[in-house]
């Protein structure tokens, strides 16, 4: 089973989403945990990737260990460049804290 960890930034973003969106996100996370099925994913380089939805929702994540997925932050396609920059900063901070 894959372990999914959430940063505080991710959780803060998640709690602002509608209940319907939260349910969709949780379903996707469960599919990753139980079935190793990520769905539409794009590799962004340097250990960062994004889960993508057709409605423009994005979740930025990193695989920290073979079985640990770190959810960094969520956002929408229109704010993608800003969100990717923030996700990279969060990932570097997390990696630094782990060493």
């Amino acid at each position: 089973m894959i372990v999914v960890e959430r940063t505080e930034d991710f959780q803060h973003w998640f709690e602002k989403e509608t209940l319907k969106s939260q349910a969709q996100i949780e379903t996707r996370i469960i599919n990753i945990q139980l079935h190793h099925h990520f769905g539409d994913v794009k590799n962004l380089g340097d250990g960062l990737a994004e889960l993508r939805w057709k409605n423009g929702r994005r979740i930025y994540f990193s695989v920290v260990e073979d079985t640990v997925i770190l959810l960094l932050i969520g956002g929408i396609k229109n704010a993608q460049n800003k969100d990717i920059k923030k996700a990279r900063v969060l990932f570097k901070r997390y990696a630094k804290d782990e060493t």
Side-chain angles (χ1 to χ4, degrees):
M1 185 166 135
I2 293 177
V3 176
V4 176
E5 295 181 5
R6 303 166 190 233
T7 64
E8 287 182 30
D9 292 271
F10 175 85
Q11 194 60 37
H12 182 69
W13 169 82
F14 179 79
E15 290 170 359
K16 291 181 179 178
E17 292 294 296
T18 66
L19 291 178
K20 181 179 177 181
S21 291
Q22 288 179 3
Q24 292 170 341
I25 293 164
E26 286 296 339
T27 298
R28 185 92 174 256
I29 292 169
I30 290 168
N31 280 331
I32 292 169
Q33 289 175 308
L34 298 180
H35 308 294
H36 300 212
H37 179 71
F38 286 75
D40 187 0
V41 173
K42 182 177 180 183
N43 184 347
L44 301 173
D46 298 324
L48 189 65
E50 67 181 359
L51 297 173
R52 304 187 303 182
W53 277 260
K54 290 183 181 183
N55 67 0
R57 181 186 307 122
R58 301 289 191 260
I59 293 179
Y60 301 94
F61 72 97
S62 183
V63 178
V64 179
E65 298 170 5
D66 290 341
T67 59
V68 177
I69 306 298
L70 177 64
L71 301 178
L72 297 163
I73 192 168
I76 57 172
K77 185 162 179 57
N78 294 346
Q80 190 172 20
N81 291 335
K82 178 185 72 145
D83 291 338
I84 289 171
K85 287 177 186 175
K86 185 171 183 178
R88 288 189 192 288
V89 168
L90 290 170
F91 179 58
K92 286 178 185 176
R93 185 183 319 150
Y94 180 83
K96 184 179 177 182
D97 289 346
E98 290 296 308
T99 57

